[in-house]
């Protein structure tokens, strides 16, 4: 089960990465202008870019993945999906959120850890099963003794 979950997670991460590359290869390229730049100390950095698509001027947020420095008014090449112009990136920035991909990788790490724990448990139960087949079930007893309650605090 853990193998299927981890394989599905890996396919999802690779799909997102491939989607950004596919947009770069097949999208419509137009000149654009950087409208604003955000570089928070923590979290995803982004730029807002303005460009023309279908006779309209659109402004879209593009998450930054490179260390390039931008200034408002700077010219960039925007690549967008003609079927969905809101899906845009630049030729330099892939538009993928660092936080989103980070959480995906962390999730995959947790899944792989779960796989290791499940595999170790399966090995342990396999050893117990072999021991029972070799020696047979043996009857056992258990005695439960209730401890007296702790003395009340003064």
């Amino acid at each position: 089960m853990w193998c299927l979950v981890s394989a599905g997670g890996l396919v999802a991460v690779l799909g997102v990465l491939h989607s950004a590359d596919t947009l770069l290869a097949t999208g419509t390229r137009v000149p654009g202008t950087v409208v604003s730049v955000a570089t928070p100390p923590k979290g995803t950095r982004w730029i807002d870019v303005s460009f023309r698509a279908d006779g309209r001027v659109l402004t879209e947020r593009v998450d930054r993945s490179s260390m390039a420095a931008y200034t408002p008014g700077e010219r960039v090449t925007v690549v967008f999906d003609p079927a969905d112009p809101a899906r845009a990136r630049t030729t330099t920035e892939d538009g993928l959120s660092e936080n989103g991909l980070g959480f995906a990788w962390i999730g995959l790490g947790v899944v792989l850890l779960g796989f290791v724990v499940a595999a170790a448990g399966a090995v342990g139960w396999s050893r117990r099963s072999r021991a029972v087949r070799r020696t047979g079930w043996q009857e056992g007893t258990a005695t439960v003794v209730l401890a007296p309650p702790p003395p009340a605090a003064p």
Side-chain angles (χ1 to χ4, degrees), residues 10 13 27 30 37-38 64-65 76 78 80 90 97 99 114-116 122 125 129 132 144 153:
L10 187 58
V13 168
V30 294
V37 179
R64 294 169 49 195
S65 56
V76 293
V78 177
F80 69 92
T90 67
S97 168
N99 293 340
F115 172 75
V116 169
W125 280 108
S129 176
V132 166
V144 177

Side-chain angles (χ1 to χ4, degrees), residues 45 62-68 89 92-96 98:
R45 300 169 300 123
V62 177
D63 290 331
R64 294 169 49 195
S65 56
S66 76
M67 295 307 293
R89 62 167 289 173
T92 308
E93 306 297 343
D94 58 18
L96 299 176
E98 295 171 1

